[in-house]
């Protein structure tokens, strides 16, 4: 996992002005490197905190482009890389709000309707994440401002023929585990398969034969006999996306240092 430590701009400048006189050198796949003074200070501050547990695993630091206070989390890379993230002050932010239209699967559209009702960020919808890629790490806020009304549910059979399969199962009642040990196309075949299993394994005291109805098509079997969904043709949601970037002449008000911690 990773952890973060935040320094004010004044603290960071004082630390960096002193340089790194530790003389420490590390050897890694990219050769020899020396820890950044700000990372060293961040590790020390974290080590002295009550939340410190595990071993720090910082590496060569990468300084990222400056971001705004509201886009810090989205600015970090999706790995455990050690990074230094400059953050501008709250008064040095330029915001822009645009509307984006998205559509998705029946499940995604149902989630978007729920997020429209409760006002929460629709972060768990793949169609939304795809639509936001164009804004990169500048996204500060996302709201669902409108969404098409739900369509009437429709049920339809899945493809293939209905087939009954017979399974020989063993139950372990103390933990409700159901294990399929054998199967057959007929009841007689499944019963004989169960007898063969018990004959080969004296530790088994009891088995059961269960019938399972599935759809079979082109040799593949599916437990779904029918589907019930809402047709989402010509339905969509409108998102209100607020982006935030530092002003052109903004200076860092703080620095966030992120590094890896091993437990």
């Amino acid at each position: 996992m990773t952890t973060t430590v935040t320094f004010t701009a004044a603290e960071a400048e004082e630390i960096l002005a002193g340089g790194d006189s530790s003389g420490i050198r590390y050897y890694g796949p990219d050769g020899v490197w020396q820890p950044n003074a700000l990372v060293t200070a961040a590790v020390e501050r974290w080590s002295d905190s009550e939340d410190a547990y595990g071993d720090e695993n910082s590496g060569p630091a990468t300084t990222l482009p400056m971001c705004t206070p509201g886009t810090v989390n989205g600015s970090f890379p999706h790995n455990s890389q050690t990074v230094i993230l400059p953050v501008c002050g709250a008064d040095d932010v330029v915001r822009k709000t645009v509307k984006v239209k998205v559509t998705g699967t029946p499940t995604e559209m149902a989630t978007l309707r729920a997020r429209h009702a409760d006002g929460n960020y629709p972060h768990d919808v793949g169609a939304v994440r795809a639509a936001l890629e164009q804004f990169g790490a500048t996204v500060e806020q996302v709201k669902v401002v409108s969404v098409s009304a739900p369509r009437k549910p429709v049920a339809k059979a899945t493809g293939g023929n209905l087939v009954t399969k017979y399974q020989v199962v063993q139950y372990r009642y103390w933990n409700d585990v159901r294990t399929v040990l054998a199967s057959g196309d007929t009841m007689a075949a499944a019963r004989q398969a169960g007898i063969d299993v018990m004959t080969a394994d004296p530790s088994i005291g009891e088995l059961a034969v269960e019938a399972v109805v599935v759809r079979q098509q082109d040799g593949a079997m599916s437990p779904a006999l029918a589907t019930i969904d809402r047709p989402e043709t010509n339905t969509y949601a409108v998102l209100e996306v607020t982006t935030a970037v530092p002003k052109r002449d903004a200076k860092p008000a703080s620095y966030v240092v992120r590094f890896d911690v091993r437990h």
Side-chain angles (χ1 to χ4, degrees):
M1 63 171 291
T2 59
T3 190
T4 60
V5 176
T6 302
F7 297 96
T8 65
E11 289 175 327
E13 290 172 3
E14 182 178 357
I15 293 169
L16 294 173
D20 193 335
S21 58
S22 64
I24 298 176
R25 297 292 186 274
Y26 291 102
Y27 297 85
D30 298 324
V32 182
W33 56 277
Q34 185 176 19
N36 180 282
L38 203 57
V39 175
T40 301
V43 171
E44 291 176 352
R45 180 174 292 186
W46 168 80
S47 299
D48 293 337
S49 69
E50 296 180 355
D51 297 330
Y53 59 97
D55 299 317
E56 66 89 9
N57 187 39
S58 61
T62 299
T63 300
L64 302 175
M66 184 165 49
C67 72
T68 67
T71 59
V72 170
N73 290 336
S75 298
F76 287 125
H78 299 295
N79 54 35
S80 58
Q81 180 182 4
T82 300
V83 295
I84 299 172
L85 179 62
V87 184
C88 71
D91 295 333
D92 288 330
V93 179
V94 177
R95 290 182 175 85
K96 181 179 180 181
T97 299
V98 297
K99 291 185 177 179
V100 178
K101 183 186 292 188
V102 299
T103 188
T105 65
T107 298
E108 289 177 328
M109 292 302 297
T111 302
L112 286 168
R113 293 184 182 101
R115 297 294 78 80
H116 180 236
D118 60 28
N120 292 329
Y121 191 141
H123 62 85
D124 51 350
V125 180
V128 172
R129 292 195 297 270
L132 296 180
E133 288 179 357
Q134 60 182 304
F135 303 107
T138 67
V139 176
E140 183 178 66
Q141 186 179 27
V142 179
K143 294 191 300 182
V144 182
V145 294
S146 67
V147 63
S148 301
R151 302 298 194 251
K152 183 179 179 180
V154 176
K156 59 183 178 181
T158 53
N161 300 319
L162 287 176
V163 177
T164 301
K165 296 292 184 179
Y166 299 89
Q167 297 178 337
V168 179
V169 299
Q170 181 183 27
Y171 287 93
R172 293 182 172 85
Y173 296 101
W174 60 89
N175 58 5
D176 294 326
V177 173
R178 172 184 177 277
T179 305
V180 178
L181 300 181
S183 63
D185 291 333
T186 65
M187 171 70 83
R191 290 170 62 179
Q192 184 58 53
I195 291 173
D196 294 342
V197 169
M198 290 190 67
T199 299
D201 189 349
S203 67
I204 299 176
E206 185 178 3
L207 297 174
V209 176
E210 297 180 347
V212 180
V213 179
V214 298
R215 290 278 188 186
Q216 187 170 15
Q217 186 175 32
D218 298 329
M221 292 185 295
S222 170
L225 308 184
T227 59
I228 305 171
D229 59 22
R230 301 182 189 274
E232 295 294 349
T233 304
N234 298 323
T235 61
Y236 60 87
V238 176
L239 308 178
E240 189 176 80
V241 181
T242 300
T243 59
V245 297
K247 291 180 179 178
R248 183 171 298 180
D249 58 349
K251 294 183 179 181
S254 62
Y255 291 81
V256 182
V257 179
R258 193 193 72 172
F259 55 91
D260 187 42
V261 176
R262 291 179 177 175
H263 296 294

